[in-house]
Amino acid sequence: MIYSATNFDSFNETMASYSVIILLSENYNLLQKEAKRISDAIGGPNAESEMRLTRYFNQEISSKRDEIMSLLQTKSFFPGCQLIMLNGLPEKNYKIITEIASEWQNGDAITIVTMDKLSKNSELKRILQSDRSIALVNYSGNSLNREVLKSRLNKDGIKFDGSEVVDALLEFSKFSSED
């Protein structure tokens, strides 16, 4: 299942039914923030301190494949979902995603993967079309417009009368990073 980042709020209700959740963007800071938000939503804010969240980074993912696969079915002493986070997974190593999805059973650890981009003719994209246990949230090309900005500000409890402030923020955003 492929989601756009703008439709992501409705995605939260069904997160526990996916074996793998892939976050796709070239903005590393955004990916880390979103991965944290998702892991908190699934496992709770104490998942890391309760050792229910295990992180791996791009250089070590392929060399620790067996360890990652054994974590998939490991149960915690604490109540709540186990989480595996694969940060910066290169597209060429996508087979670990399909391996996790094929081994995964309800109640196993949920894997959150961050990736910077997929090639135009990506094999992983083809797999996502048919595999209902893997979700991809695409943050790439997410342009900031008036409605998106207003909803983000409202989510943080910030409201403005009129449109001058929102227009000024939109103009400013054209000359600054996505962060």
Side-chain angles (χ1 to χ4, degrees), residues 31-175:
L31 284 179
Q32 295 310 302
K33 185 170 57 171
E34 289 299 306
K36 171 77 170 122
R37 183 171 78 96
I38 293 169
S39 70
D40 285 352
I42 297 172
N46 296 328
E48 194 158 11
S49 64
E50 293 173 352
M51 296 184 294
R52 292 184 292 115
L53 172 62
T54 308
R55 297 176 193 271
Y56 295 92
F57 295 91
N58 56 358
Q59 300 89 348
E60 64 185 344
I61 293 171
S62 61
S63 66
K64 295 194 175 185
R65 181 184 220 102
D66 293 338
E67 183 179 318
I68 292 168
M69 293 308 293
S70 72
L71 274 174
L72 194 59
Q73 298 174 349
T74 302
K75 302 299 178 208
S76 173
F77 294 112
F78 294 98
C81 183
Q82 288 281 104
L83 298 162
I84 301 168
M85 194 170 297
L86 306 179
N87 289 301
L89 181 72
E91 182 179 0
K92 66 181 181 176
N93 295 340
Y94 79 91
K95 290 190 181 194
I96 192 164
I97 294 171
T98 57
E99 190 176 339
I100 289 169
S102 68
E103 297 283 326
W104 190 81
Q105 296 178 14
N106 197 15
D108 285 352
I110 295 175
T111 304
I112 301 169
V113 178
T114 63
M115 298 178 77
D116 66 347
K117 59 184 171 184
L118 293 176
S119 64
K120 195 172 195 172
N121 299 323
S122 172
E123 180 71 17
L124 182 56
K125 281 183 187 176
R126 189 187 63 72
I127 291 168
L128 287 168
Q129 299 297 331
S130 61
D131 194 326
R132 297 286 179 214
S133 70
I134 303 172
L136 179 127
V137 182
N138 188 357
Y139 294 90
S140 300
N142 185 16
S143 62
L144 188 62
N145 63 35
R146 178 177 297 217
E147 298 309 313
V148 171
L149 181 59
K150 280 184 178 180
S151 73
R152 287 183 185 175
L153 292 172
N154 284 336
K155 196 183 294 185
D156 290 335
I158 302 170
K159 296 181 181 168
F160 297 109
D161 290 332
S163 61
E164 295 83 21
V165 174
V166 174
D167 290 340
L169 289 172
L170 283 172
E171 188 63 29
F172 179 73
S173 72
K174 294 176 185 175
F175 303 104

Side-chain angles (χ1 to χ4, degrees), residues 1-18 20-25 37-38 118 128-129 131-142:
M1 187 64 93
I2 299 176
Y3 294 92
S4 166
T6 55
N7 299 340
F8 185 65
D9 289 338
S10 63
F11 176 69
N12 290 330
E13 300 164 4
T14 58
M15 280 192 265
S17 65
Y18 293 107
V20 180
I21 301 167
I22 303 168
L23 307 178
L24 184 67
S25 175
R37 183 171 78 96
I38 293 169
L118 293 176
L128 287 168
Q129 299 297 331
D131 194 326
R132 297 286 179 214
S133 70
I134 303 172
L136 179 127
V137 182
N138 188 357
Y139 294 90
S140 300
N142 185 16

